[in-house]
Amino acid sequence: MGGERFNPSSSAYPTHSFGPNPSFPKIHNLDIDHLRAFTANGGQFEDCNLPAMMYDFRSDDEKYIQLEVWSAPFVGVGRERESRPSFDEAMKRAEWRNARKGERFGPSWSTHWFRITLRNLDQILPHPAADQHLELHFDCEGEGAVYTPEGLMLQGLTGGGGGDRRVEFILPEAWWSSSSSPTSTERIIYIEAAMNGMFGVPCGDQISPPDPNRYFELRTADIVVPNMTAWRLFWDYTIIADCARELGGWEGEKALGVATKILGAFRRGERGCLEECRDVARVFLGRRVDGAEVYRGEGGEGESLVFGIGHCHIDTAWLWPFAETRRKIARSWSTQIDLIKRYPEHRFTASSAQQYAWLKEDHSTPGGLYHHLRETIHSGAFTPIGGTWVECDTNMPSGESLCRQFLLGQRFFEREFGIRCRVFWLPDTFGYSSQLPQLCRLSGMKYFFTQKLSWNNINKFVYTSFNWVGIDGSQILCHMTPSETYNAQAHVGDLIRSVTQHKNKGEDPSSLLVFGNGDGGGGPLAQMLEKLRRCRGVSDTVGRLPRVSMGGSVDQFYERLEERTEEGKTLPNWVGELYFELHRGTYTSQAKTKKGNRLSEFLMRDVEFFASLATIYDAKYEYPKKEIDECWQMICLCQFHDVLPGSAIEMVFDDAATFHAQIWDRGQRMLASAFKVLGISSHPSKHTALAGVSTVAWPRTEVVEVEEKLAAGVDKSVVFEQQGGKKYVVLSTESTGVSRVEKKEVQQKGITKEVTVEEVEKGIFVLENGVIRVRVENGHVTSLYDVELDREIVAKNGKAGRYVIYDDQPLYWDAWDVEVYHLTGPRTYLDECTTTIVGEGPLRASLLVESKISEHSWIKTTISLDAVLSGADYAHKTTFEKALPMLNFDVEVEWQESRKFLKVEFPTDILCDTASYETQFGINKRPTHFNTSWDAAKFEVVCHKWADLSEHGYGLSILNDSKYGFATHGSTMRLSLLRSPKAPDAHADMGRHHFRYAMLPHRGNISQAAVVRAGYNFNNPLRLRYVPVQDEKFDGLRDLLKSIWIEGADNVVLDTIKRAEDGADVVIAAGHRPTTSSGTKTKSIVVRLYEAYGGKTKVKVMTTLPVVRATEVNILEDELSVVDHKRGRKDHVTSVAVDFTMGAFEVKTLKLELSW
């Protein structure tokens, strides 16, 4: 039919299947499992597979290595620095003895210095191949660092068997190569060995409290020659096997086939097969994966979607104390500096100015580690990031504290390295305040990075890249890495998730891959960089795997993202706080640390106010800038995101208590020094009179209790003495002013209505002052009644001020979490109590309520109501006619409970679907209902000095002096008081606590009732001090203290008055060298203010100081614009007015230059 004639022998395909190698169908799970054994370290088949060929030589023979040790005396907890001697101290004190492998060292947290003598190294590799070298492998199960005899730290070490293991130190070629003509046959290195692991010394589970008596074994101290071909094959195969498991499709099948061929080409013990195996691997990886040139390849299709950046998250304190963090920093960063030299594509970033400052303190000798760090930073390979003093919590620090985080951080980086950070970097903080976008922009940053919201346990956050808009309207460009970790291990899966988990790829699909061991430090390992090279090779050779790019900075990633999204215009917006749906217990855990924070913030506010005015009053007075900065540094340090939230070990909170005590002592000394200059004293004399001193920028009239240290010497004609010997005065002060205490008969005229208390029935008490009437039954407030308006505030049959104890057992994170199910679980109300009258008026009426919690725990609550005063806020009919007197609760608790949660609740007769909570420089509104899962997730939220529930025309605010956790469910408000978790601190919150809170009823809304001012007053009580009797001196003091004020604009708060950073005298006082920008003929005052209620307003800042120039500056005190100022004269007083407009919740900083 026209075709070729059939020839049965023309095909090679066999007629019968009788081959020697049978063919089986693919059994995928068996094939995949088979791949694991080839690179498995340990196990019964290790000697049959690749790990058996990783080293050509290993010896611990004394011919090559000799070990000696000096164990530093361990002085115990609380004296950590003494237990961690520096290199120089160790060399002076060391008494060396022989050491051996297998020896155990301890206890936990102790330090042991090893002197290692290396000899005859040139005999190990007399004729080395091009890529051969010698390594020292040292594993003491804990952390360590390698030092030269001159004291230069070369590299960190991490022992044990985890993924952060790093026990190898590459010996310099000059030490072992005969061609390098070594000058000595012996070399000495030192290793500082810390008896703690990367995550401390937990007793069992990672977050368990530390085991104080753990001992560590010296497992390895060997000289090793690695087989570099085997080492590279290990990472070739690792990535190919990863692709077989992760990629799927034909690419995954191809990876499986290549990996299987490698297994077939491998012959145990035959070195020549290793290169054959690598040739097989190159089919899948390409031929450039042994160097940085792989990133410059032309192969593959498409652009890079994943941008790798090396990172080392070091918790400034967590499962280890601050003192150990200082060593973690040096160990981690020295290692990265070494890696940067070996891997040209490696770019590394690290945050927290405090950590750089510690490294400077500990390693700043000429040619030391800090010197090498500066060189690496200037090369661009090591980048400081974040711009803050530490990676702080952002829920609880005050607005001014956040400003100081940025000010201290950015100025340190600029002073030390000549740079400012542009990316706010908080990968591990537990939620993000709604004012951060504004504060970032005012600190020179417009980019923000985190990933923590990927931990949400109720709702999945909806965006990857987006514009985050704060409550004032400011925005920053935010990226949350879709790999959902800041500790990526550079696996194939990390790259895949960087694309598959990207939530808005349509706008821009690129992402950051932040890789390296973290939390406890360490950072990237060499194998991570090797794996990324191979991942790039896969992308260029086979495809499917997202292309990774290396060598760029985080700033460059954000610049690219900004450009590709038309300056963010194509990205979605998220408005308001980034609420973290986990770790809600951190608003309450470690109450003493939280109280120390609040007290320190207000103390430093007052120190700067009085010290600033003292420099104006007396030119000889030196502004204590260095000490102020040191105190703020300690405050900011204790705001680290595992310290202030209360999620660290007990040693950390012992340190925090010490820091807060130092701040208090130093702050009081600085106040006393400024007071002395200003003529204010704590001690009476014939030339002084008792007076009240206020640092808030509005008038206030209050009943003030005379402190015990003042009461003994006070003039009886000016005090009211009540039951129990307590002494009180009625005191009115002007804005940031001072007012002498008048005679009792004068004070009496200011009392509109005295307060009374009466036991109307057994166990039922009524306190009344003519404006409100309070009924207390069995220790609870059953009625809070507005007499004039005929309005009840407490819900029908409700009990306000009632303590309730919940069971508190989260799913895992003990100190961190409180879960929603605690609200529906077992609870105990403290309804058994005794109540006695301890203050009968006329100025203050008080009840003492004593409640027993358990055999070892109790609460004593003093409930107080003051007389109605004619000058109080609620009497200012023209401005704050809606305010009412508050009901105060002064609480002392002995707390010895286990996994219990103490709250106090206030059922109200108020209906509103949102409640208001003070945040930094503003207000957050949150739902009081659980309509959606997003609403329900906010069952416990953070507040600052107050929370408020208001309906039209009426409301109730709950004030506090040191608490942050709150909840409003329906019409019931609850203030969180104490928790009792047992991990990682087994004694968290145990002991005695003192705190205050108050019920502040009000007519109208929170702005009409001056709730923000009430919160400041509650946290900053009027001070009683002695001031000059002489009218001229007193008038001068009074005029100085009230020399800056706001006229009108009652919604604007003057929060901070301080000296400018760049004044010549201030710069010198700080211990820095004056710059050309440091003024020489002027003194400058910085005034920070904010709009408090959420509305645009015109503001007039008034001052009697001799202003010659007024400028608006940012938080870093860079000049933004010149502001007009007008001089005027009224009532024989010359003043200057600075007029401007402020937006809703806007923060504004003015710099007033004074003639001098």
Side-chain angles (χ1 to χ4, degrees):
M1 297 290 294
E4 294 184 4
R5 186 173 180 178
F6 174 68
N7 183 356
S9 63
S10 65
S11 172
Y13 183 73
T15 304
H16 298 92
S17 177
F18 292 118
N21 297 314
S23 178
F24 295 99
K26 294 285 186 182
I27 304 174
H28 193 267
N29 62 315
L30 291 180
D31 291 338
I32 291 295
D33 289 344
H34 182 210
L35 301 182
R36 302 181 192 279
F38 185 59
T39 52
N41 285 300
Q44 57 185 326
F45 303 117
E46 180 181 12
D47 62 335
C48 304
N49 288 294
L50 185 58
M53 298 183 67
M54 295 291 283
Y55 303 105
D56 293 334
F57 176 88
R58 178 183 291 273
S59 176
D60 61 1
D61 196 304
E62 288 192 4
K63 176 182 178 181
Y64 303 114
I65 181 169
Q66 178 185 350
L67 303 177
E68 297 172 280
V69 68
W70 172 67
S71 298
F74 182 63
V75 294
V77 174
R79 298 170 65 186
E80 285 79 17
R81 291 284 285 167
E82 298 174 54
S83 297
R84 297 172 170 85
S86 67
F87 176 86
D88 290 339
E89 292 168 343
M91 295 306 102
K92 292 174 184 176
R93 297 166 56 190
E95 298 178 1
W96 302 102
R97 66 169 179 82
N98 288 333
R100 57 178 175 78
K101 285 168 60 173
E103 190 172 348
R104 297 179 67 81
F105 297 90
S108 305
W109 309 118
S110 60
T111 297
H112 304 265
W113 281 89
F114 288 85
R115 182 166 65 183
I116 300 178
T117 304
L118 306 175
R119 54 175 67 96
N120 302 316
L121 300 183
D122 56 332
Q123 298 177 18
I124 299 174
L125 281 178
H127 305 291
D131 63 348
Q132 280 191 305
H133 63 262
L134 263 63
E135 297 177 354
L136 169 67
H137 286 199
F138 187 92
D139 180 1
C140 200
E141 295 189 315
E143 294 189 86
V146 182
Y147 283 80
T148 68
E150 295 74 34
L152 170 64
M153 184 186 288
L154 297 175
Q155 178 193 307
L157 300 170
T158 304
D164 50 18
R165 177 178 171 84
R166 189 197 317 257
V167 300
E168 67 283 348
F169 168 62
I170 298 175
L171 299 177
E173 183 178 358
W175 291 16
W176 52 267
S177 173
S178 57
S179 63
S180 299
S181 302
T183 58
S184 171
T185 58
E186 287 192 349
R187 297 284 179 172
I188 293 177
I189 60 172
Y190 295 89
I191 291 181
E192 176 194 40
M195 296 303 102
N196 52 266
M198 187 67 82
F199 294 93
V201 284
C203 186
D205 184 89
Q206 178 177 296
I207 65 168
S208 298
D211 178 355
N213 294 304
R214 184 171 163 188
Y215 281 73
F216 295 73
E217 180 183 347
L218 177 55
R219 291 181 175 181
T220 307
D222 300 341
I223 298 297
V224 171
V225 177
N227 185 316
M228 295 308 296
T229 304
W231 191 81
R232 295 185 182 108
L233 174 60
F234 189 99
W235 302 116
D236 291 346
Y237 182 87
T238 295
I239 291 302
I240 294 170
D242 259 6
C243 287
R245 285 186 287 268
E246 299 273 2
L247 282 185
W250 71 264
E251 297 92 344
E253 290 299 320
K254 181 172 183 178
L256 179 58
V258 171
T260 303
K261 286 183 180 180
I262 291 173
L263 295 179
F266 179 76
R267 297 180 296 279
R268 179 175 44 172
E270 295 186 24
R271 293 192 50 160
C273 76
L274 298 176
E275 194 57 49
E276 293 177 30
C277 292
R278 293 210 71 204
D279 279 339
V280 175
R282 291 183 181 107
V283 173
F284 199 80
L285 302 177
R287 310 192 69 84
R288 290 189 293 252
V289 297
D290 288 341
E293 60 269 16
V294 68
Y295 297 107
R296 297 189 290 271
E298 300 294 331
E301 296 182 2
E303 61 182 349
S304 295
L305 296 180
V306 182
F307 295 80
I309 189 75
H311 180 54
C312 171
H313 181 68
I314 304 176
D315 284 321
T316 303
W318 182 31
L319 303 177
W320 51 87
F322 293 104
E324 191 57 40
T325 304
R326 299 173 78 117
R327 301 202 295 188
K328 284 177 174 286
I329 296 160
R331 292 191 287 253
S332 301
W333 295 359
S334 63
T335 302
Q336 297 312 309
I337 291 171
D338 174 66
L339 275 180
I340 286 168
K341 295 174 183 176
R342 292 158 52 196
Y343 291 87
E345 74 271 27
H346 185 28
R347 295 294 178 270
F348 179 78
T349 193
S351 69
S352 302
Q354 171 69 90
Q355 297 189 5
Y356 291 81
W358 278 339
L359 193 76
K360 182 180 180 181
E361 283 183 42
D362 297 342
H363 295 275
S364 61
T365 54
L369 179 56
Y370 193 71
H371 167 78
H372 289 285
L373 172 70
R374 290 174 63 109
E375 285 185 337
T376 314
I377 289 173
H378 291 148
S379 76
F382 191 124
T383 307
I385 202 166
T388 49
W389 191 245
V390 297
E391 286 187 18
C392 59
D393 176 75
T394 72
N395 286 315
M396 292 170 282
S398 69
E400 187 60 28
S401 284
L402 291 182
C403 291
R404 297 311 170 96
Q405 289 281 356
F406 291 118
L407 178 66
L408 290 170
Q410 289 283 55
R411 281 188 165 251
F412 178 89
F413 289 134
E414 186 171 29
R415 186 169 60 248
E416 291 294 316
F417 312 121
I419 64 171
R420 283 187 180 177
C421 302
R422 299 167 61 204
V423 181
F424 187 32
W425 183 270
L426 284 184
D428 195 29
T429 293
F430 312 149
Y432 306 94
S433 164
S434 55
Q435 273 289 27
L436 284 177
Q438 179 178 194
L439 299 183
C440 283
R441 299 309 294 261
L442 291 173
S443 301
M445 291 184 281
K446 60 179 177 178
Y447 305 133
F448 176 54
F449 174 83
T450 187
Q451 62 81 49
K452 199 64 178 182
L453 297 195
S454 66
W455 285 41
N456 281 4
N457 69 347
I458 296 180
N459 298 286
K460 197 75 171 174
F461 193 73
V462 292
Y463 303 131
T464 293
S465 298
F466 59 98
N467 301 305
W468 181 21
V469 183
I471 52 176
D472 76 309
S474 298
Q475 69 173 11
I476 51 178
L477 182 58
C478 181
H479 177 71
M480 297 189 185
T481 174
S483 63
E484 297 187 348
T485 180
Y486 50 86
N487 295 327
Q489 298 295 294
H491 296 315
V492 168
D494 292 323
L495 294 179
I496 292 174
R497 286 186 289 275
S498 294
V499 173
T500 59
Q501 295 182 168
H502 198 301
K503 299 182 183 67
N504 45 321
K505 293 187 282 286
E507 290 81 19
D508 181 76
S510 62
S511 67
L512 273 178
L513 178 70
V514 182
F515 67 94
N517 291 313
D519 293 328
L525 300 170
Q527 53 259 41
M528 296 178 186
L529 294 160
E530 295 285 347
K531 288 193 290 183
L532 288 173
R533 286 177 174 180
R534 285 151 178 80
C535 286
R536 176 58 182 262
V538 172
S539 302
D540 290 347
T541 304
V542 178
R544 184 68 180 273
L545 189 63
R547 276 181 130 199
V548 61
S549 173
M550 294 284 288
S553 68
V554 176
D555 281 17
Q556 289 170 337
F557 167 80
Y558 276 97
E559 289 166 358
R560 179 181 181 276
L561 177 62
E562 181 182 353
E563 179 182 354
R564 288 164 63 93
T565 59
E566 301 177 22
E567 298 179 323
K569 294 183 181 69
T570 64
L571 290 175
N573 289 355
W574 181 273
V575 179
E577 67 179 329
L578 291 173
Y579 178 83
F580 183 39
E581 296 179 5
L582 202 66
H583 295 359
R584 304 167 185 88
T586 58
Y587 312 149
T588 306
S589 297
Q590 299 290 353
K592 292 178 182 177
T593 298
K594 290 172 168 59
K595 183 173 182 178
N597 176 72
R598 184 80 64 86
L599 289 172
S600 297
E601 289 173 336
F602 271 91
L603 174 62
M604 292 310 299
R605 178 183 184 274
D606 288 356
V607 165
E608 290 183 301
F609 171 77
F610 287 111
S612 297
L613 296 183
T615 63
I616 297 169
Y617 189 80
D618 185 347
K620 296 179 181 179
Y621 171 78
E622 183 177 288
Y623 189 70
K625 175 61 174 170
K626 186 173 186 294
E627 197 159 10
I628 286 172
D629 281 351
E630 289 170 353
C631 287
W632 270 114
Q633 287 167 7
M634 286 189 283
I635 291 172
C636 290
L637 172 61
C638 292
Q639 291 171 347
F640 176 72
H641 66 251
D642 278 308
V643 181
L644 183 55
S647 50
I649 61 174
E650 186 173 8
M651 297 165 72
V652 172
F653 299 110
D654 291 341
D655 287 343
T658 299
F659 288 135
H660 285 145
Q662 290 176 11
I663 295 164
W664 185 260
D665 291 343
R666 296 173 73 174
Q668 294 299 332
R669 287 198 299 271
M670 285 187 281
L671 273 180
S673 176
F675 282 168
K676 184 177 180 180
V677 168
L678 297 170
I680 302 172
S681 173
S682 298
H683 306 287
S685 74
K686 62 181 180 181
H687 302 296
T688 61
L690 190 65
V693 182
S694 174
T695 58
V696 297
W698 46 80
R700 56 196 294 193
T701 299
E702 297 173 12
V703 174
V704 181
E705 183 176 352
V706 182
E707 303 172 52
E708 284 188 22
K709 63 181 181 180
L710 293 176
V714 74
D715 183 352
K716 293 183 179 181
S717 67
V718 300
V719 298
F720 293 83
E721 186 166 349
Q722 293 192 175
Q723 180 182 359
K726 290 192 174 183
K727 297 180 174 66
Y728 300 92
V729 297
V730 175
L731 192 56
S732 294
T733 62
E734 300 181 57
S735 171
T736 57
V738 60
S739 178
R740 283 191 289 232
V741 178
E742 304 288 353
K743 297 292 185 181
K744 281 195 292 186
E745 52 268 27
V746 178
Q747 295 181 48
Q748 189 73 48
K749 296 177 182 178
I751 303 173
T752 302
K753 181 71 175 178
E754 294 181 348
V755 65
T756 62
V757 60
E758 180 183 4
E759 186 172 13
V760 296
E761 297 179 35
K762 185 171 179 58
I764 301 177
F765 300 81
V766 174
L767 302 89
E768 186 170 6
N769 63 9
V771 176
I772 63 173
R773 183 168 63 242
V774 181
R775 185 180 179 91
V776 177
E777 300 183 38
N778 200 29
H780 307 131
V781 178
T782 57
S783 174
L784 183 61
Y785 183 70
D786 183 334
V787 175
E788 295 179 357
L789 209 61
D790 187 24
R791 168 68 193 253
E792 178 60 59
I793 297 148
V794 177
K796 185 177 181 181
N797 300 320
K799 299 176 180 179
R802 188 187 193 189
Y803 296 112
V804 56
I805 298 178
Y806 294 89
D807 279 4
D808 189 13
Q809 299 176 36
L811 296 174
Y812 176 71
W813 298 99
D814 201 354
W816 293 259
D817 285 347
V818 58
E819 292 296 352
V820 67
Y821 53 73
H822 86 282
L823 295 169
T824 57
R827 72 189 71 181
T828 302
Y829 287 100
L830 301 185
D831 289 339
E832 297 297 323
C833 64
T834 60
T835 306
T836 54
I837 297 174
V838 292
E840 298 178 336
L843 293 183
R844 178 168 294 166
S846 302
L847 299 172
L848 175 63
V849 180
E850 298 179 88
S851 308
K852 185 176 181 179
I853 299 172
S854 65
E855 183 179 356
H856 301 291
S857 302
W858 48 260
I859 302 179
K860 295 179 181 178
T861 306
T862 302
I863 304 174
S864 300
L865 183 66
D866 287 352
V868 176
L869 309 176
S870 59
D873 276 348
Y874 45 79
H876 290 196
K877 296 302 181 184
T878 58
T879 306
F880 300 120
E881 72 276 10
K882 305 300 184 182
L884 294 172
M886 69 176 67
L887 185 66
N888 287 279
F889 298 77
D890 195 310
V891 184
E892 180 181 12
V893 184
E894 178 64 29
W895 185 245
Q896 299 293 343
E897 300 304 295
S898 177
R899 295 197 168 98
K900 301 292 184 181
F901 197 161
L902 175 66
K903 302 187 182 187
V904 60
E905 64 182 27
F906 307 89
T908 73
D909 190 29
I910 298 169
L911 181 63
C912 188
D913 61 358
T914 61
S916 299
Y917 303 86
E918 187 186 41
T919 189
Q920 298 94 348
F921 300 136
I923 298 168
N924 285 325
K925 289 186 177 293
R926 302 185 179 104
T928 61
H929 54 75
F930 293 166
N931 281 1
T932 69
S933 60
W934 294 87
D935 300 329
K938 296 179 180 179
F939 62 85
E940 181 85 2
V941 298
V942 70
C943 74
H944 281 223
K945 298 182 288 294
W946 56 266
D948 182 88
L949 181 65
S950 293
E951 60 188 23
H952 176 69
Y954 218 94
L956 175 68
S957 295
I958 305 299
L959 313 181
N960 76 83
D961 73 342
S962 58
K963 301 301 174 185
Y964 295 93
F966 209 93
T968 307
H969 303 148
S971 296
T972 298
M973 308 173 76
R974 293 188 185 93
L975 177 65
S976 298
L977 302 177
L978 293 169
R979 296 185 69 224
S980 48
K982 298 304 172 189
D985 177 2
H987 306 107
D989 282 320
M990 297 298 97
R992 194 68 54 89
H993 299 267
H994 297 84
F995 48 84
R996 296 182 304 121
Y997 53 88
M999 298 175 70
L1000 175 64
H1002 58 83
R1003 303 161 190 166
N1005 59 39
I1006 53 178
S1007 62
Q1008 293 171 314
V1011 172
V1012 170
R1013 291 186 175 188
Y1016 272 89
N1017 292 350
F1018 193 74
N1019 280 265
N1020 197 1
L1022 282 168
R1023 281 188 177 86
L1024 288 176
R1025 292 294 185 268
Y1026 289 96
V1027 299
V1029 173
Q1030 185 180 341
D1031 286 345
E1032 182 179 345
K1033 289 186 177 181
F1034 175 77
D1035 290 346
L1037 172 63
R1038 181 190 59 196
D1039 292 343
L1040 179 63
L1041 294 188
K1042 67 173 186 178
S1043 57
I1044 303 175
W1045 71 98
I1046 296 173
E1047 193 168 279
D1050 295 311
N1051 56 328
V1052 174
V1053 173
L1054 200 167
D1055 185 71
T1056 299
I1057 294 175
K1058 62 184 285 291
R1059 287 295 308 277
E1061 295 291 312
D1062 289 331
D1065 60 323
V1066 174
V1067 172
I1068 293 170
H1072 305 311
R1073 181 178 299 174
T1075 64
T1076 54
S1077 63
S1078 303
T1080 56
K1081 296 182 180 180
T1082 63
K1083 289 187 177 182
S1084 298
I1085 297 292
V1086 164
V1087 178
R1088 187 147 28 245
L1089 51 157
Y1090 70 97
E1091 196 287 315
Y1093 294 107
K1096 193 171 186 177
T1097 189
K1098 292 184 177 179
V1099 186
K1100 179 179 289 186
V1101 172
M1102 303 292 298
T1103 180
T1104 55
L1105 299 177
V1107 175
V1108 295
R1109 190 169 184 264
T1111 55
E1112 182 182 352
V1113 297
N1114 61 16
I1115 289 172
L1116 309 183
E1117 300 185 18
D1118 304 319
E1119 184 175 306
L1120 302 179
S1121 63
V1122 177
V1123 183
D1124 289 338
H1125 64 283
K1126 300 175 182 177
R1127 194 174 304 278
R1129 188 171 179 82
K1130 182 179 180 182
D1131 298 332
H1132 309 291
V1133 175
T1134 299
S1135 62
V1136 170
V1138 182
D1139 296 289
F1140 50 90
T1141 300
M1142 293 183 70
F1145 298 125
E1146 182 180 358
V1147 179
K1148 194 173 286 288
T1149 307
L1150 300 179
K1151 181 178 178 181
L1152 306 178
E1153 296 181 28
L1154 313 179
S1155 62
W1156 213 254

